[in-house]
C-alpha cells in the first residue's frame, strides 16, 4: 500500500509535466496553424487570381451615354462614334486614319468625297443620295451627318468601298471594325478563362471567354498572350489556357478597285526645261540638240495664279510638235511657287477647297488637250502638315482626269524625311504613273553649313526609303546638273551675340552659297588655281581654297559623281532618271547617261 502511494506521488509530477507538454504542443500547433492561415491568405492575396472587374467605360474612354466606343483591328480608339437611327456612324478622322484613307471630307463645302480610279463619289450632308459620275444613287439611310463642323459617316457606306466587316455590341456600346486581310494568327481557348487588362493574375478582368472560343493572337508576353476577342476586348490570357495558335486566311470576296497606270516600256531619261516666259519656248530645239538620249522633257509652263485655282500658262503647241519630231514626250510641270502663289498658306487655301481644286484641274486638262501634252508633272513644294490630306486628294482627283485622257501623271517629291511624310508617297505610288525623287538639295541655299548638294549616301537613302512605299517601276530619281560654291567667314561678335538662343547659335561660321552649272563650277575651281580631289565618302570631287579672308568649298557634280548615282538607278531597277538645271554640259555627261538608260 505504502509503495502504491509512493508510486502515485511519483506519477503526479510526471502527469503534470505531460499535460504541460501537451498544452505547449497544442499551443504551438495552433500558432503554426494561425501563421499558416495568415501566410496562405497573404500568398493568395499576393499571387492568387483577382476577380476585380475592370472599369469598361474607362477602358474604352467612354465619358457619356451617347458615345460609341471604337475598336479597329488591334487599336482601341477615341470614342468618336455614335448610334443614330439604329446605325453606327464614325467620325471622319477615324475613317480616314484607320479604316480607309481615300474618304475625304470638305467642311467648307459640306461634301464627302471618295475617289475611284475613274470617278469621284460625292455625298451631301443629311442626304440618303450619293453621286457617281453625275448619276444619282439612293440608299435607305442618311450617309453623312454632322455636329457642328464634325462629320460622321455611316459605316454601312464605308463598307461599300472598303474590305472590312464590323459589329456593334452593348454594355458598353461599342463597334468593332476589322480591316485585316490576308493571314492572321488565331488561338482557341482550352477552357473557360478570363481576359485581363494586363498580363498577370492581379490585373483587372475585362471579360470572360469560354472553352473553344476563338481569339485573334497579337503577341507573346512571357506566360501571357495578348489577344483580341471577337467582341472587341484587347487584353491578356494565360498561355496555358490557350491551344497553340494557327494561321487563318481572311477573304471577304471584296474586289479592290484597279488603279490602272501608264507605264513606258523604256528607261526614262527626263530633263526639266526651266522656261520663264513665252519667248523662252523657242529654245526647245537648242536644248534638245545639246542633249543625248532624252525621252522626256518637262517645261515649267504652269503656275497657280491664285488660291481660287486659276492657271497661268505659257504652253504652246509648237513646242510640243518640235519635241515630238525628235521622239521626245512633253510632261509639262505645274508649280505652287516661283510665280503666282508662293507660300504654304496659299497652297493650303487652294487645295483645301474642292471648288478650287476642280477649277485648277479643269484648266490643266484644257491646256493639256489644247497643246497635245503627253503628261503633267506636279511640282508642289509648299505643302504643310495640315495641307497633306488636301494635297493627296488633289493628286487623286487629277489622276482620274489624266487616266480618262491618257495623260501621264508624275509627281515630284523631296527625299523622304520624317518631316515630309505629309506628301503621302505610298498613295502617290498607287494613283500616279510615276513618282519622282528630287535627289538633291541635301545642302541648299540658306543652309547653316556648307555641304554637298547630293552626296552618295543621301541619294542612296532617298531611293531606298522611297522604295519602301512606291514600286521601283514607278520611281524616277532626279540628279542635279548643278552644285554650290560655298563661302565661309567667321561670324563677328555682333553676329554671334544676335544668334544667342537660336538654332544658329551652334554655328560659328557665316555661310553663303552660289549655284553653278557643272561647267561653271569647274571653271570656278580652275580660276582659283586649285585641283579637286576625290572624296570617297560623298563620291564627289572636292575642292577648297582660301581667298579674301574667306574659305571656299565645293563638291563638284561631274561624270565621276553622276556614274555611281546612275548605277543606283540600275541596281534598284528604277523607271529612269531626270536632270535639273541644265546648262552647257560637256558631251561626256550625256554619253554617260545614254550608257545607263539604254
Amino acid at each position: 500500500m505504502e509503495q502504491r502511494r509512493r508510486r502515485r506521488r511519483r506519477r503526479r509530477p510526471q502527469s503534470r509535466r505531460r499535460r504541460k507538454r501537451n498544452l505547449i504542443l497544442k499551443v504551438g500547433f495552433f500558432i503554426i496553424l494561425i501563421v499558416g492561415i495568415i501566410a496562405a491568405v497573404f500568398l493568395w492575396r499576393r499571387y492568387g487570381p483577382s476577380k476585380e472587374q475592370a472599369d469598361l467605360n474607362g477602358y474604352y474612354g467612354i465619358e457619356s451615354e451617347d458615345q460609341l466606343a471604337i475598336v479597329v483591328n488591334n487599336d482601341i480608339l477615341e470614342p468618336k462614334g455614335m448610334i443614330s437611327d439604329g446605325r453606327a456612324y464614325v467620325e471622319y478622322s477615324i475613317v480616314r486614319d484607320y479604316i480607309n484613307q481615300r474618304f475625304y471630307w470638305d467642311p467648307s463645302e459640306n461634301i464627302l468625297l471618295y475617289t475611284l480610279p475613274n470617278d469621284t463619289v460625292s455625298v451631301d450632308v443629311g442626304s440618303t443620295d450619293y453621286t457617281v459620275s453625275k448619276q444619282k444613287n439612293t440608299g435607305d439611310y442618311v450617309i453623312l451627318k454632322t455636329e457642328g463642323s464634325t462629320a460622321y459617316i455611316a459605316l454601312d457606306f464605308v463598307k461599300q468601298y472598303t474590305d472590312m466587316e464590323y459589329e456593334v455590341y452593348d454594355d458598353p456600346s461599342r463597334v468593332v471594325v476589322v480591316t485585316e486581310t490576308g493571314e492572321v494568327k488565331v488561338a482557341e481557348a482550352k477552357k473557360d478563362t478570363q481576359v485581363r487588362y494586363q498580363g498577370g493574375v492581379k490585373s483587372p478582368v475585362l471579360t470572360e471567354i469560354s472553352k473553344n472560343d476563338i481569339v485573334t493572337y497579337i503577341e507573346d508576353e512571357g506566360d501571357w498572350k495578348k489577344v483580341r476577342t471577337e467582341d472587341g476586348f484587347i487584353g491578356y490570357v494565360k498561355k496555358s489556357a490557350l491551344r497553340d495558335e494557327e494561321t487563318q486566311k481572311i477573304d471577304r470576296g471584296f474586289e479592290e478597285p484597279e488603279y490602272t497606270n501608264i507605264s513606258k516600256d523604256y528607261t526614262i531619261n527626263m530633263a526639266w526645261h526651266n522656261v520663264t516666259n513665252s519667248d523662252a519656248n523657242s529654245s526647245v530645239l537648242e536644248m534638245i540638240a545639246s542633249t543625248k538620249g532624252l525621252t522626256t522633257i518637262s517645261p515649267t509652263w504652269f503656275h497657280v495664279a491664285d488660291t481660287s485655282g486659276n492657271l497661268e500658262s505659257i504652253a504652246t503647241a509648237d513646242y510640243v510638235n518640235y519635241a515630238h519630231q525628235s521622239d521626245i514626250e512633253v510632261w509639262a510641270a505645274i508649280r505652287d511657287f516661283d510665280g503666282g502663289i508662293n507660300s504654304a498658306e496659299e497652297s493650303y487655301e487652294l487645295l483645301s477647297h474642292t471648288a478650287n481644286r476642280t477649277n485648277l484641274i479643269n484648266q490643266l486638262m484644257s491646256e493639256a488637250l489644247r497643246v497635245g501634252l503627253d503628261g503633267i508633272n506636279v511640282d508642289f513644294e509648299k505643302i504643310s502638315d495640315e495641307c497633306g490630306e488636301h494635297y493627296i486628294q488633289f493628286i487623286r482627283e487629277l489622276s482620274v482626269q489624266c487616266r480618262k485622257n491618257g495623260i501621264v501623271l508624275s509627281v515630284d517629291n523631296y527625299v523622304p524625311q520624317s518631316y515630309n511624310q505629309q506628301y503621302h508617297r505610298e498613295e502617290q505610288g498607287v494613283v500616279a504613273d510615276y513618282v519622282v525623287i528630287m535627289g538633291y538639295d541635301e545642302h541648299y541655299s540658306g543652309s547653316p553649313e556648307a555641304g554637298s548638294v547630293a552626296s552618295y549616301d543621301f541619294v542612296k537613302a532617298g531611293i531606298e526609303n522611297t522604295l519602301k512605299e512606291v514600286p521601283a517601276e514607278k520611281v524616277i530619281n532626279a540628279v542635279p546638273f548643278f552644285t554650290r560654291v560655298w563661302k565661309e567667314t567667321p561670324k563677328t561678335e555682333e553676329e554671334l551675340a544676335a544668334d544667342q538662343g537660336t538654332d544658329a547659335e551652334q554655328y560659328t561660321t557665316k555661310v553663303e552659297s552660289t549655284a553653278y552649272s557643272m561647267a561653271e563650277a569647274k571653271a570656278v575651281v580652275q580660276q582659283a588655281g586649285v585641283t579637286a580631289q576625290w572624296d570617297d565618302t560623298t563620291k564627289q570631287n572636292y575642292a577648297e581654297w582660301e581667298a579674301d579672308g574667306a574659305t571656299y568649298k565645293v563638291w563638284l557634280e561631274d561624270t565621276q559623281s553622276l556614274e555611281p548615282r546612275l548605277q543606283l538607278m540600275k541596281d534598284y531597277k528604277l523607271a529612269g532618271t531626270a536632270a535639273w538645271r541644265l546648262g552647257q554640259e560637256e558631251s561626256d555627261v550625256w554619253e554617260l547617261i545614254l550608257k545607263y538608260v539604254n
Side-chain angles (χ1 to χ4, degrees):
M1 173 84 83
E2 185 62 30
Q3 287 179 345
R4 284 198 297 270
R5 276 199 215 95
R6 284 199 296 269
R7 282 197 297 270
R8 281 198 297 270
R9 283 197 297 270
R10 284 197 297 270
R11 283 199 298 269
R12 282 172 189 158
Q14 291 174 355
S15 179
R16 285 195 297 272
R17 284 196 297 273
R18 190 179 298 114
R19 286 195 299 272
K20 186 176 181 181
R21 185 169 60 249
N22 290 340
L23 180 61
I24 291 171
L25 289 173
K26 288 178 181 179
V27 170
F29 176 77
F30 182 74
I31 291 172
I32 291 171
L33 181 62
I34 295 298
V35 170
I37 292 171
I38 293 172
V41 170
F42 173 78
L43 291 172
W44 176 260
R45 286 183 176 177
R46 180 157 186 159
Y47 300 108
S50 168
K51 293 184 179 180
E52 178 191 356
Q53 298 295 306
D55 173 10
L56 296 184
N57 284 332
Y59 172 73
Y60 284 112
I62 295 173
E63 296 179 350
S64 61
E65 290 183 1
D66 59 345
Q67 286 183 310
L68 177 68
I70 301 170
V71 179
V72 179
N73 299 325
N74 299 326
D75 293 309
I76 297 172
L77 309 177
E78 291 183 70
K80 294 182 176 180
M82 65 180 182
I83 298 293
S84 180
D85 300 324
R87 294 185 184 270
Y89 290 77
V90 172
E91 201 266 310
Y92 160 69
S93 65
I94 298 291
V95 174
R96 177 197 63 200
D97 295 341
Y98 295 94
I99 302 176
N100 188 331
Q101 65 171 334
R102 292 198 180 111
F103 280 96
Y104 175 83
W105 162 240
D106 183 343
S108 62
E109 299 181 28
N110 284 324
I111 188 171
L112 176 72
L113 302 175
Y114 187 80
T115 309
L116 296 167
N118 294 294
D119 297 296
T120 298
V121 181
S122 62
V123 184
D124 292 325
V125 174
S127 177
T128 59
D129 299 331
Y130 61 99
T131 302
V132 185
S133 295
K134 299 181 181 179
Q135 181 176 348
K136 183 188 290 187
N137 299 267
T138 301
D140 60 356
Y141 58 91
V142 173
I143 298 168
L144 182 68
K145 299 189 176 189
T146 56
E147 288 185 359
S149 61
T150 303
Y152 293 86
I153 311 172
L155 278 179
D156 287 331
F157 188 72
V158 176
K159 191 176 179 180
Q160 283 186 214
Y161 300 99
T162 311
D163 190 356
M164 61 169 276
E165 55 190 328
Y166 79 92
E167 195 69 47
V168 176
Y169 299 92
D170 295 322
D171 301 323
S173 181
R174 63 195 185 278
V175 62
V176 181
V177 179
V178 179
T179 64
E180 294 165 328
T181 57
E183 295 181 342
V184 297
K185 289 183 178 180
V186 297
E188 186 178 35
K190 292 181 183 178
K191 57 183 180 180
D192 295 353
T193 190
Q194 300 82 30
V195 179
R196 297 183 179 273
Y197 179 64
Q198 292 179 325
V201 294
K202 291 302 181 184
S203 183
V205 175
L206 292 172
T207 189
E208 306 273 343
I209 57 174
S210 303
K211 182 179 179 180
N212 300 328
D213 279 355
I214 301 296
V215 294
T216 300
Y217 164 80
I218 300 175
E219 63 184 6
D220 277 334
E221 287 201 11
D223 293 332
W224 296 78
K225 285 182 183 287
K226 188 177 184 181
V227 301
R228 183 185 76 233
T229 66
E230 289 185 352
D231 56 349
F233 290 96
I234 297 172
Y236 294 83
V237 175
K238 260 202 160 182
K239 271 188 181 180
S240 58
L242 297 173
R243 294 187 176 89
D244 291 338
E245 67 270 6
E246 61 182 39
T247 300
Q248 186 179 82
K249 189 171 183 178
I250 298 177
D251 184 1
R252 304 182 188 93
F254 182 83
E255 292 187 13
E256 290 283 355
E258 182 183 359
Y259 289 82
T260 58
N261 300 118
I262 298 172
S263 181
K264 301 301 177 181
D265 59 0
Y266 51 80
T267 302
I268 292 170
N269 180 15
M270 181 173 117
W272 283 283
H273 185 195
N274 195 24
V275 181
T276 56
N277 55 64
S278 297
D279 293 338
N281 282 324
S282 60
S283 65
V284 60
L285 292 176
E286 180 184 346
M287 180 189 168
I288 291 173
S290 67
T291 66
K292 288 187 179 180
L294 208 63
T295 66
T296 313
I297 192 168
S298 181
T300 55
W301 273 347
F302 302 134
H303 293 89
V304 185
D306 52 43
T307 56
S308 296
N310 292 309
L311 187 69
E312 290 180 349
S313 171
I314 54 173
T316 68
D318 286 345
Y319 185 108
V320 176
N321 292 333
Y322 288 138
H324 285 176
Q325 288 168 17
S326 299
D327 293 326
I328 295 173
E329 289 199 345
V330 181
W331 298 359
I334 177 170
R335 297 168 156 188
D336 67 342
F337 63 96
D338 198 21
I341 65 172
N342 196 39
S343 69
E345 293 75 18
E346 288 174 313
S347 290
Y348 177 83
E349 182 63 23
L350 163 73
L351 298 174
S352 62
H353 293 78
T354 299
N356 298 345
R357 295 193 307 272
T358 301
N359 184 35
L360 178 58
I361 290 169
N362 287 343
Q363 291 185 55
L364 263 177
M365 287 297 106
S366 177
E367 281 293 278
L369 296 173
R370 179 181 69 83
V371 301
L373 284 180
D374 305 287
I376 291 173
N377 175 248
V378 178
D379 186 12
F380 277 28
E381 301 184 16
K382 303 290 185 180
I383 304 303
S384 61
D385 283 344
E386 66 173 340
C387 189
E389 66 172 305
H390 310 297
Y391 170 72
I392 196 60
Q393 181 62 18
F394 167 66
I395 298 298
R396 291 191 195 106
E397 292 168 358
L398 179 57
S399 80
V400 170
Q401 297 307 316
C402 286
R403 199 172 288 112
K404 285 181 175 180
N405 290 284
I407 293 172
V408 176
L409 175 60
S410 62
V411 186
D412 299 342
N413 288 269
Y414 296 111
V415 166
Q417 304 286 357
S418 59
Y419 51 78
N420 57 35
Q421 297 305 301
Q422 68 271 20
Y423 279 82
H424 295 279
R425 277 173 290 269
E426 184 174 2
E427 181 73 348
Q428 288 182 35
V430 175
V431 303
D433 298 303
Y434 292 100
V435 173
V436 184
I437 309 169
M438 298 184 291
Y440 40 81
D441 281 343
E442 178 181 5
H443 294 84
Y444 50 91
S445 175
S447 287
E449 58 185 349
S452 169
V453 167
S455 69
Y456 178 81
D457 287 344
F458 175 78
V459 174
K460 186 172 185 285
I463 293 172
E464 290 177 343
N465 289 328
T466 298
L467 292 181
K468 293 175 183 177
E469 301 178 294
V470 183
E473 63 270 17
K474 285 191 170 190
V475 175
I476 297 171
N477 185 60
V479 294
F481 273 26
F482 72 97
T483 188
R484 291 186 174 277
V485 176
W486 300 87
K487 178 183 178 182
E488 296 182 339
T489 53
K491 288 182 179 178
T492 64
E493 292 296 328
E494 291 78 8
E495 288 170 332
L496 290 171
D499 289 342
Q500 289 290 322
T502 70
D503 292 340
E505 183 178 11
Q506 60 185 304
Y507 303 103
T508 58
T509 301
K510 181 180 178 180
V511 176
E512 304 169 81
S513 71
T514 303
Y516 290 99
S517 69
M518 290 180 175
E520 290 169 341
K522 183 179 179 180
V524 170
V525 172
Q526 290 174 341
Q527 187 176 0
V530 296
T531 302
Q533 301 293 324
W534 182 253
D535 175 13
D536 201 49
T537 300
T538 60
K539 293 192 176 0
Q540 291 169 302
N541 283 303
Y542 171 75
E544 180 178 329
W545 65 95
E546 305 286 334
D548 304 323
T551 300
Y552 291 85
K553 298 177 179 179
V554 61
W555 286 261
L556 292 171
E557 293 294 349
D558 50 30
T559 54
Q560 281 185 280
S561 67
L562 278 178
E563 184 154 22
R565 290 152 181 77
L566 291 170
Q567 185 61 50
L568 286 172
M569 179 194 73
K570 281 284 191 184
D571 292 343
Y572 289 106
K573 298 180 172 59
L574 304 187
T577 187
W580 172 234
R581 291 202 186 183
L582 280 65
Q584 300 167 356
E585 292 77 32
E586 296 176 3
S587 62
D588 58 350
V589 171
W590 288 105
E591 291 287 355
L592 176 67
I593 292 176
L594 197 58
K595 168 186 169 183
Y596 280 92
V597 298
N598 281 346

